[in-house]
Amino acid sequence: MKKYAVILSSLAFLLTACSAAPADSVSATPVPTETPASTVEPTSEPTATPSPTPAPTMAVYDEVPFDDWRDGAGCTMPDYTFSAPHKPQPGEKAAWPTDGVTLCYNAKTLEEAAEIFHTTVENLKELNPDWQDKYSRAIGCYWALKVQADPYTLPMNNVVTVTVNAPWVESYYDRTEVCDVPASLDKQARAALASAYYFQYHWWGMHAGFLPYEKLDEPVGFFNYRAADGAFYTKFSEFGSFLHTVYSDAWVDDMLSMDPAPFAEGENDTILTLDGDRGGNIAYCGHLFTEPELQPDGSLAFWQLSLTCESDDFKGWAGEETIVPDTATVTTVRLVPTENGWRVDALELPS
């Protein structure tokens, strides 16, 4: 049973997404190399070697220094601080499980999940007797499919805590984001990924649109507001520079071409913006990463494992007892190389 704390659902249809890997990433999805269970039943569990292996299609560029990446953005960029590498920490009042957890995935089709996890549709149906009930028409995917029979052993790879701070943002809450990223990424890749977490948590994830805003005299399509002084950006040209400094061109094009899109260019280089919020899973306990792996196409890809407590005994966080998650939901994080550094091409918020 999923447990949600809904803040405001006026734009839930925009903010809810199927947490599945992009269609072109099926055969290149990396898997943990430290998981003992992955060698037990290769037909029903993840394997270390993607199959089939596509031919390389993207050049691998030299590492771009962090300062060159930030200074060459063409817009005002946030400030960044980086911790030393350390082991990941669970959420407050949560503890990492010592035993394995149930490994789940949200898939557009059963065939997609079967190919990613090197199993069969028939095996997925056996693992999920209620597979027909797991399909959500609202979001167009199968929700929380169990993808392997054996418990999944969580990776405890080192992370780096990155603090992203945009001092010009008016709201104290929206000014800063603190997030963990894999320690094995280089500094520029860490900053790009942390920037994506910052943007998605504050402007296109838990909330949609820039604050503060001013109301338009007349609506422009779906838009009733434009970003005002104190927002993350107020000029669309600068906002576009930030997006293309952090994300791949394909990711930016997909977001801005949605119907309706969360942002659009207004008159005189202004930013038209929506305004909405969504809730999160109150059973969320933290997240972990598998090790980033270089793919045949030149990208870096790895799993983000969002940990939740799905037990019927879970009553919330008001008590004193420690909550131990029992489920890990997989989403793929992907970074693609460019001549100007790594860009985020796939990322879902973990909660």
Side-chain angles (χ1 to χ4, degrees), residues 31-87:
V31 298
T33 57
E34 301 178 358
T35 305
S38 64
T39 61
V40 178
E41 297 180 9
T43 60
S44 61
E45 299 175 10
T47 60
T49 303
S51 178
T53 301
T57 58
M58 185 182 300
V60 178
Y61 298 102
D62 292 334
E63 179 178 327
V64 173
F66 163 75
D67 289 337
D68 291 351
W69 169 81
R70 185 176 183 273
D71 294 343
C75 64
T76 303
M77 289 290 286
D79 299 322
Y80 301 85
T81 57
F82 305 82
S83 77
H86 60 88
K87 291 299 180 184

Side-chain angles (χ1 to χ4, degrees), residues 29 104 114 130 154 159 210 215 237 266 275 287 313 334 348:
T29 302
C104 292
D130 58 344
L154 293 172
V159 295
F210 287 152
K215 191 172 178 61
S237 57
D275 178 34
H287 62 277
D313 295 333
R334 184 178 302 280
E348 300 279 350

Side-chain angles (χ1 to χ4, degrees), residues 16 27 52 71 88-89 92 99 104 107 228 244 265-266 268 291 325 327:
T16 306
S27 61
D71 294 343
Q89 298 297 314
E92 187 179 358
D99 298 325
C104 292
H244 286 284
E265 183 175 3
N268 301 317
E291 275 297 319
T327 302

Side-chain angles (χ1 to χ4, degrees), residues 37 40 75 105 129 179 192 201 209 269 284 288 321 324:
V40 178
C75 64
Y105 182 71
C179 60
Y201 266 118
D269 200 23
Y284 171 71
L288 300 168
E321 66 275 8
V324 180

Side-chain angles (χ1 to χ4, degrees), residues 43-163:
T43 60
S44 61
E45 299 175 10
T47 60
T49 303
S51 178
T53 301
T57 58
M58 185 182 300
V60 178
Y61 298 102
D62 292 334
E63 179 178 327
V64 173
F66 163 75
D67 289 337
D68 291 351
W69 169 81
R70 185 176 183 273
D71 294 343
C75 64
T76 303
M77 289 290 286
D79 299 322
Y80 301 85
T81 57
F82 305 82
S83 77
H86 60 88
K87 291 299 180 184
Q89 298 297 314
E92 187 179 358
K93 293 187 179 180
W96 299 135
T98 55
D99 298 325
V101 296
T102 299
L103 192 65
C104 292
Y105 182 71
N106 303 327
K108 292 181 180 178
T109 65
L110 295 178
E111 289 77 12
E112 174 201 8
E115 187 167 0
I116 289 175
F117 294 96
H118 302 279
T119 184
T120 64
V121 169
E122 290 70 22
N123 187 50
L124 289 175
K125 290 180 178 179
E126 290 179 5
L127 291 172
N128 301 273
D130 58 344
W131 63 274
Q132 291 176 313
D133 296 331
K134 286 180 175 287
Y135 187 78
S136 170
R137 292 183 180 275
I139 57 178
C141 74
Y142 291 91
W143 188 261
L145 284 173
K146 184 178 179 180
V147 294
Q148 67 179 47
D150 292 340
Y152 173 74
T153 303
L154 293 172
M156 289 292 169
N157 301 314
N158 279 350
V159 295
V160 167
T161 299
V162 184
T163 301

Side-chain angles (χ1 to χ4, degrees), residues 190-235:
R190 294 173 184 175
L193 183 54
S195 299
Y197 276 117
Y198 172 59
F199 174 71
Q200 288 177 232
Y201 266 118
H202 294 275
W203 316 119
W204 179 229
M206 303 303 286
H207 178 80
F210 287 152
L211 293 171
Y213 54 68
E214 55 189 23
K215 191 172 178 61
L216 299 174
D217 295 333
E218 295 290 339
V220 178
F222 287 96
F223 295 101
N224 291 300
Y225 311 101
R226 70 168 64 90
D229 288 345
F232 187 40
Y233 289 106
T234 58
K235 294 182 178 180

